[in-house]
């Protein structure tokens, strides 16, 4: 018997205008929920959204176009649990820990 697994839906995050945290959450909301969509406004809210009820729940794939722009701008150190991370890396850790496959491009 062959078991088929449903494909993960894929969403594309346009990163070319992500120059601050507000722009990241606006772009993520648009990528996942359409124009003007919401998918968090900080790391805690992002984690809440990843548990469902605010749009797609994992597992899904997020293709992050022009991620280097965001990496340059999403700076500042935050604590995620007991780990100290740059904000960009904290976003990736949050997404991946909840089952989002992130492809940086």
């Amino acid at each position: 018997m062959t078991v088929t697994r449903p494909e993960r839906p894929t969403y594309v995050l346009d990163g070319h205008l992500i120059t601050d945290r507000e722009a990241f959450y606006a772009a993520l909301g648009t990528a996942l929920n359409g124009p003007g969509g919401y998918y968090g406004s900080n790391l805690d809210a992002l984690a809440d959204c990843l548990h469902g009820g605010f749009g797609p729940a994992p597992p899904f794939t997020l293709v992050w176009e022009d991620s280097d722009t965001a990496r340059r701008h999403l700076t500042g150190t935050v604590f995620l649990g007991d780990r100290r991370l740059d904000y960009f890396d904290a976003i990736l850790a949050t997404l991946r820990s909840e089952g989002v496959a992130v492809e940086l491009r």
Side-chain angles (χ1 to χ4, degrees):
M1 180 166 98
T2 302
V3 176
T4 57
R5 295 187 178 130
E7 279 194 41
R8 290 174 170 247
T10 298
Y11 302 91
V12 178
L13 174 59
D14 181 358
H16 83 279
L17 294 177
I18 298 177
T19 56
D20 60 24
R21 293 175 188 188
E22 184 177 288
F24 164 73
Y25 290 106
L28 184 63
T30 296
L32 298 177
N33 288 317
Y38 174 83
Y39 209 82
S41 59
N42 57 51
L43 289 172
D44 289 334
L46 173 59
D48 289 344
C49 289
L50 289 165
H51 289 109
F54 294 95
F60 61 84
T61 299
L62 184 66
V63 176
W64 192 335
E65 301 287 347
D66 202 7
S67 61
D68 285 342
T69 298
R71 185 179 293 278
R72 284 191 311 272
H73 291 95
L74 296 175
T75 58
T77 303
V78 296
F79 284 92
L80 196 60
D82 60 349
R83 297 184 306 166
R84 186 175 172 168
L85 300 170
D86 287 335
Y87 201 82
F88 181 85
D89 292 325
I91 290 168
L92 292 178
T94 300
L95 291 167
R96 289 175 173 156
S97 73
E98 297 298 333
V100 178
V102 182
E103 295 179 18
L104 301 177
R105 295 191 180 163

